Amino acid sequence: MPADDGNGRFEDELIGLDPHDPETQAFAEHLDRMQRPNSKATVEGMLQGVDDFAQCANRTAGHRRVVVVLVVTLILVGVLFTVWNALAFVLDTFLR
């Protein structure tokens, strides 16, 4: 995303910064995410939150990366445990 999106929305915040600088562009993207009106109660809003998390996770390094991998692993283990229990319940119910 360019630092200035054409309509001057972040013009005041980016005064004196090079619009082609990657850090300036990242700051403009951060400002855009802060002002995004998506509700977290919609599917689109939830998926946007997952996308933001994934993009932030890809930029991390060191111990933060380990924490992100641990959180994602715990989420996947929880999902697999729930699916396994549901499948076991269904099979137990129908095969009795």
Side-chain angles (χ1 to χ4, degrees):
M1 161 183 264
D4 185 10
D5 59 357
N7 60 8
R9 199 166 74 169
F10 305 124
E11 191 174 284
D12 292 338
E13 289 86 353
L14 302 176
I15 291 176
L17 299 176
D18 180 17
H20 302 292
D21 182 25
E23 290 183 8
T24 304
Q25 293 174 355
F27 181 61
E29 289 174 5
H30 169 73
L31 291 175
D32 185 49
R33 282 192 304 273
M34 296 292 289
Q35 295 179 358
R36 192 175 300 139
N38 287 347
S39 171
K40 298 295 182 193
T42 63
V43 173
E44 292 85 4
M46 290 180 195
L47 290 177
Q48 186 63 42
V50 171
D51 180 52
D52 289 343
F53 175 77
Q55 289 195 15
C56 291
N58 286 334
R59 289 192 300 264
T60 61
H63 71 283
R64 290 184 183 193
R65 180 77 168 194
V66 172
V67 171
V68 167
V69 169
L70 181 65
V71 167
V72 169
T73 302
L74 288 174
I75 290 170
L76 290 176
V77 166
V79 168
L80 288 174
F81 179 75
T82 303
V83 169
W84 177 259
N85 281 337
L87 185 62
F89 177 77
V90 168
L91 290 176
D92 186 49
T93 301
F94 289 115
L95 296 178
R96 268 192 184 189

